Amino acid sequence: MRKLFLSVVALFAVVGFAAASNVEVKGPHICCKQCVNVVGKILEKVEGVSNVNADVKSRTVTFTAKDSAAAKAGFKALVDGGFFGTATEDGKAIALDVATPAKAKAQDVVVVKDVHVCCGLCQKAVNGIFKDAKVSYEGTGAQRTVRIEGANLEPAAVIQALRKGGFNGKIE
């Protein structure tokens, strides 16, 4: 009986280990230790995610996911946390349905909520994306509202520019 129990435990350990996957998210804006801490805080709340590492130099987040659902949930948590990039699970792309505003009439002000802007370097990066506009920030903490004022700003283009820079948010 003891051998059977140990065999079953060993089988579950092997199956559980085999199901774990390595997730890599490339391109999110990670500029400092504070950004690294924010990534860790976001992913520690996702069930089935462990071994989180965020690298400033390579702008890459890696973590272990217990299964594909946890891998996708971890990636979604980062996107919802104001980061953006491309993700793979054991080398295969993770598809995530991310809302992009429909093409709309150009505006002089576009407001984007829930953008990861935790420090002055994050602000400098966002300001660099919108060099010809006035950019201001509202709120405190790691996620802020970004107000972009300029001529002929198209909301979908603003979101795409932020995503290209490793940021994400929602048009207000």
Side-chain angles (χ1 to χ4, degrees):
M1 185 67 152
R2 183 179 224 187
K3 282 185 180 182
L4 177 62
F5 175 74
L6 291 175
S7 296
V8 170
V9 169
L11 178 63
F12 280 117
V14 169
V15 170
F17 180 74
S21 56
N22 296 311
V23 178
E24 182 178 61
V25 183
K26 292 183 178 181
H29 178 84
I30 305 169
C31 64
C32 66
K33 186 174 180 166
Q34 191 168 341
C35 292
V36 170
N37 290 338
V38 170
V39 166
K41 287 178 183 176
I42 289 170
L43 291 176
E44 76 182 2
K45 297 175 186 171
V46 181
E47 187 176 329
V49 168
S50 61
N51 303 319
V52 176
N53 183 40
D55 185 64
V56 172
K57 190 173 182 178
S58 66
R59 288 181 47 164
T60 303
V61 174
T62 57
F63 59 89
T64 303
K66 73 175 183 176
D67 54 27
S68 290
K72 191 169 187 174
F75 181 37
K76 183 176 182 335
L78 286 172
V79 170
D80 291 347
F83 293 94
F84 199 79
T86 58
T88 58
E89 177 186 6
D90 290 334
K92 296 179 184 175
I94 298 175
L96 191 61
D97 222 2
V98 183
T100 301
K103 189 156 174 81
K105 185 176 158 184
Q107 305 170 14
D108 291 336
V109 177
V110 175
V111 178
V112 187
K113 295 179 84 171
D114 301 328
V115 180
H116 166 80
V117 186
C118 71
C119 67
L121 291 174
C122 291
Q123 288 183 4
K124 184 177 179 181
V126 173
N127 292 345
I129 293 170
F130 304 104
K131 293 178 207 152
D132 298 329
K134 178 185 175 196
V135 182
S136 58
Y137 304 89
E138 300 168 14
T140 59
Q143 283 187 313
R144 298 189 188 166
T145 297
V146 179
R147 180 182 174 91
I148 303 132
E149 299 177 52
N152 299 315
L153 297 170
E154 207 278 302
V158 166
I159 288 291
Q160 290 303 332
L162 282 168
R163 289 178 179 167
K164 187 175 179 183
F167 299 95
N168 192 47
K170 300 172 198 89
I171 295 292
E172 187 174 78

